[in-house]
């Protein structure tokens, strides 16, 4: 077994080890929660929102579980929490008002979508009864409830609730799986799966300790310290992947806020598999490169490297391009003059059909650069190569920095010796 094949195996193992770890962060079944206190001026609607930055935290628990996802996967980050008690049939709007300091129909609350907080158990048992009651109240009073958080009525000493600063990009991982008593799939009062037809909001389950944390926050509803009477709410957002969490604090007044200290959170949501896909693609590329190299070395033998007989194909990916004659780099400006970015329209315009740097097939409408030697590359690949590595074509070693130099003599002479003059100007400037 030679060195390259050992490297391939080591990389494969590393890659396989890496993937499950990344995927084991927050996911669809075990979301994490971003929680922040937000204040509104009494009588004004959402226009006056002020986020209390000190209160902005991420909450993690293995007991956070998705009961019913509905279509809640993307970006519902401005929902305010309303306490609905046990949410059982018989719960009235007066009850909801009393539980929320008479704020549940205030202008600010009415301008925003809400999340209903309810306790498991109480006057009724089945979760579907609670959900139906909340949907009915929400419809009747236009409360715009978009999700429900059910918190456990039982307390378990081993429940972990981890509070992290939003600056902390780490996330906790769980050693063991959730005990069956705390797993929503083992709760006989959870009949949501059998009643999902009439449900049009998302349902999440949290442990008792977190339910009480939220209730404490809700009950701090009014505050007049700033001089202006304000209404205080808790804003909750579910996240299904750490990679989608991004706080963009912006001090300008965009968005119509009159607050000098207004902060804005932009949440870029996406599928939690994004990182895993990226890693998988990266891993596959590395493995492919090593494999390709290993195949070539075993074919030509170790002793016969770089004996001058290397053809174009062998030069690709071998890293054996002699840089002695041209180690200088090109400026992006010169690159733009020499071979402007163009759309790949016709397989005839390049001698190669695969970008030799990333080994991706060139597809119609890809943005490419065609070097004077008529070799074509993805813009992103060749720009880095020519501006950071060396000004020579990765395939034929034609030195692009010598504009006056004629392209090297071609065996398959489809070239016209007229460097890129026929290429159309770029439709838009390349990205910097
Ligand atoms: C809510 O309204 C009721 C009746 O109008 C009143 O008795 C109660 O004190 C109010 N609660 C708060 C917190 O203002
Ligand atoms: C603010 O409330 C208005 C309705 O009063 C609504 O149309 C608008 O989308 C809300 N803006 C935000 C950012 O929630
Ligand atoms: C919690 O609620 C369930 C379902 O109603 C009930 O069976 C259980 O006894 C309750 N547990 C506690 C500790 O109240
Ligand atoms: C960040 O989060 C990780 C994982 O939850 C934790 O171990 C670490 O202590 C946190 N760091 C800070 C500075 O809070
Ligand atoms: C808990 O639920 C899982 C499936 O969700 C099932 O396989 C298991 O047997 C259940 N355990 C108990 C103790 O009910
Ligand atoms: C859901 O329905 C299935 C059969 O359709 C039944 O076996 C199961 O017990 C039901 N679960 C609940 C919680 O009602
Ligand atoms: C309620 O508000 C007071 C005054 O701002 C604050 O000291 C206290 O920590 C708040 N309580 C909670 C649970 O946030």
């Amino acid at each position: 077994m030679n060195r390259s094949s050992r490297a391939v195996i080591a990389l494969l193992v590393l890659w396989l080890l890496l993937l499950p770890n990344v995927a084991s962060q927050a996911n669809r079944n075990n979301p994490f929660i971003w929680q922040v206190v937000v204040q509104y001026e009494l009588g004004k609607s959402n226009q006056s929102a002020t986020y209390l930055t000190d209160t902005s935290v991420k909450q993690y628990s293995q007991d956070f579980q998705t009961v019913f996802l509905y279509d809640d996967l993307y970006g519902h980050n401005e929902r305010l929490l309303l306490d609905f008690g046990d949410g059982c049939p018989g719960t009235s709007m007066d009850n909801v008002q009393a539980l929320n300091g008479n704020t549940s129909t205030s202008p600010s609350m009415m301008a925003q979508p809400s999340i209903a907080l309810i306790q498991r158990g109480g006057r009724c048992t089945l979760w579907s009864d609670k959900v139906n009651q909340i949907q009915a109240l929400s419809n009747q009073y236009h409360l715009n409830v978009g999700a429900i958080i059910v918190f456990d009525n039982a307390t378990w000493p081993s429940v972990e609730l981890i509070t992290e600063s939003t600056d902390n990009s780490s996330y906790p991982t769980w050693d063991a799986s959730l005990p069956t008593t705390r797993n929503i799939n083992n709760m006989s009062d959870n009949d949501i799966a059998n009643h999902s037809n009439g449900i049009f909001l998302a349902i999440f389950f949290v442990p008792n300790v977190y339910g009480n944390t939220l209730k404490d926050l809700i009950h701090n509803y009014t505050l007049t310290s700033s001089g202006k009477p304000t209404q205080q709410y808790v804003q909750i957002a579910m996240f299904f992947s750490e990679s989608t969490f991004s706080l963009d604090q912006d001090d300008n007044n965009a968005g119509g806020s009159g607050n000098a200290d207004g902060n804005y959170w932009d949440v870029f949501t996406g599928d939690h598999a994004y990182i895993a896909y990226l890693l998988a693609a990266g891993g596959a590329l590395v493995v492919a490169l090593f494999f390709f190299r290993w195949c070539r070395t075993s074919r030509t033998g170790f002793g016969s490297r770089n004996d001058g007989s290397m053809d174009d194909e062998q030069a690709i990916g071998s890293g054996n391009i002699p840089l002695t004659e041209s180690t200088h780099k090109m400026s992006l400006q010169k690159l733009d003059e020499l071979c402007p970015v163009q759309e790949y329209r016709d397989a005839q315009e390049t001698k190669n059909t695969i970008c030799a740097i990333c080994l991706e097939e060139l597809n119609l409408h890809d943005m490419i650069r065609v070097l004077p030697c008529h070799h074509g590359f993805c813009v992103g690949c060749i720009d880095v190569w020519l501006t950071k590595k060396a000004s020579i074509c990765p395939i034929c070693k034609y030195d692009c920095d010598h504009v006056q130099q004629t392209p090297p003599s071609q065996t398959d002479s489809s070239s016209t010796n007229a460097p890129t003059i026929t290429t159309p100007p770029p439709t838009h400037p390349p990205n910097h």
Side-chain angles (χ1 to χ4, degrees):
M1 209 195 256
N2 64 38
R3 217 179 44 186
S4 298
S5 50
R6 274 201 301 272
V8 169
I9 289 163
L11 263 165
L12 263 174
V13 169
L14 188 74
W15 176 41
L16 288 174
L17 281 176
L18 220 56
L19 273 180
N21 276 347
V22 168
S24 75
Q25 62 174 294
N27 58 54
R28 283 183 194 200
N29 297 322
N30 177 216
F32 75 90
I33 293 173
W34 169 45
Q35 154 205 314
V36 63
V37 173
V38 53
Q39 293 181 343
Y40 294 84
E41 274 179 54
L42 267 191
K44 288 195 186 174
S45 72
N46 55 358
Q47 299 302 299
S48 65
T50 305
Y51 292 95
L52 304 189
T53 29
D54 303 351
T55 64
S56 176
V57 290
K58 297 187 288 178
Q59 301 276 12
Y60 291 86
S61 175
Q62 192 177 14
D63 293 61
F64 290 172
Q65 293 166 80
T66 303
V67 183
F68 187 62
L69 193 55
Y70 193 54
D71 67 348
D72 217 52
L73 211 44
Y74 300 105
H76 300 288
N77 62 328
E78 289 190 344
R79 292 192 294 209
L80 307 179
L81 205 59
L82 273 181
D83 188 356
F84 275 75
D86 63 10
C88 288
T91 304
S92 67
M93 196 56 205
D94 283 346
N95 298 146
V96 176
Q97 284 284 39
L99 287 166
N100 294 278
N102 300 335
T103 67
S104 35
T105 53
S106 66
S108 41
M109 183 54 104
M110 294 305 279
Q112 298 281 68
S114 322
I115 292 190
L117 177 70
I118 57 171
Q119 179 163 2
R120 185 185 173 199
R123 292 171 294 164
C124 59
T125 305
L126 295 179
W127 294 10
S128 62
D129 289 343
K130 295 164 183 276
V131 172
N132 287 338
Q133 181 65 18
I134 287 165
Q135 287 190 160
L137 280 173
S138 175
N139 278 354
Q140 192 178 349
Y141 297 97
H142 307 290
L143 300 178
N144 199 3
V145 174
I148 294 179
I149 293 179
V150 182
F151 69 94
D152 205 348
N153 56 348
T155 52
W156 305 98
S158 50
V159 164
E160 267 186 290
L161 179 68
I162 296 172
T163 305
E164 260 187 30
S165 147
T166 44
D167 300 333
N168 192 343
S169 59
S170 313
Y171 48 87
T173 49
W174 320 115
D175 301 332
S177 58
L178 197 62
T180 52
T181 43
R182 278 153 50 193
N183 188 328
I184 53 166
N185 296 320
N186 292 90
M187 297 177 184
S188 58
D189 46 337
N190 173 10
D191 62 342
I192 297 302
N194 286 6
H195 293 85
S196 56
N197 275 346
I199 298 177
F200 46 85
L201 35 66
I203 306 167
F204 303 96
F205 184 83
V206 301
N208 183 275
V209 55
Y210 187 55
N212 287 326
T213 304
L214 290 177
K215 279 174 95 166
D216 286 350
L217 282 172
I218 288 179
H219 293 159
N220 233 359
Y221 16 72
T222 50
L223 207 88
T224 49
S225 62
S226 62
K228 288 174 284 187
T230 53
Q231 205 76 70
Q232 191 158 296
Y233 300 100
V234 185
Q235 183 178 300
I236 293 283
M238 304 292 165
F239 287 84
F240 304 93
S241 158
E242 182 78 13
S243 60
T244 61
F245 188 80
S246 158
L247 291 188
D248 184 8
Q249 298 189 14
D250 192 344
D251 280 333
N252 70 33
N253 276 342
S257 165
N259 293 302
D261 59 344
N263 288 289
Y264 298 89
W265 277 260
D266 288 333
V267 178
F268 302 105
T269 49
D271 201 312
H272 71 284
Y274 159 72
I275 283 229
Y277 283 132
L278 213 68
L279 258 176
L285 186 67
V286 170
V287 170
L289 275 170
F290 269 79
F291 204 71
F292 179 76
R293 194 176 166 169
W294 174 59
C295 288
R296 194 188 60 81
T297 349
S298 24
R299 196 172 66 225
T300 58
F302 271 111
S304 64
R305 309 176 62 184
N306 213 2
D307 57 358
S309 65
M310 201 162 63
D311 59 21
D312 283 1
E313 189 201 351
Q314 284 176 314
I316 303 168
S318 72
N320 281 343
I321 293 164
L323 295 180
T324 42
E325 35 186 284
S326 168
T327 47
H328 52 279
K329 299 151 195 164
M330 266 179 104
S331 72
L332 203 56
Q333 191 190 359
K334 193 157 185 196
L335 190 57
D336 279 337
E337 284 165 18
L338 186 65
C339 37
V341 176
Q342 66 184 83
E343 206 178 318
Y344 188 58
R345 294 214 192 85
D346 182 358
Q348 298 302 312
E349 66 195 0
T350 56
K351 291 171 72 180
N352 53 315
T353 56
I354 290 175
C355 170
I357 299 170
C358 65
L359 302 183
E360 286 287 331
E361 186 126 14
L362 297 175
N363 291 313
L364 288 186
H365 310 304
D366 280 357
M367 298 313 282
I368 62 166
R369 283 192 202 275
V370 182
L371 304 189
C373 55
H374 294 273
H375 286 121
F377 304 89
C378 315
V379 177
C381 296
I382 195 65
D383 283 12
V384 172
W385 180 285
L386 293 178
T387 59
K388 299 258 161 26
K389 195 171 162 77
S391 62
I392 58 172
C393 170
I395 295 180
C396 67
K397 292 162 243 149
Y398 169 73
D399 190 347
C400 302
D401 209 19
H402 295 145
V403 225
Q404 66 274 42
Q405 181 193 334
T406 48
S409 58
Q410 306 296 335
T411 41
D412 56 339
S413 193
S414 59
S415 81
T416 59
N417 271 14
T420 63
I421 288 161
T422 51
T423 57
T427 46
H428 47 77
N431 297 324
H432 292 281

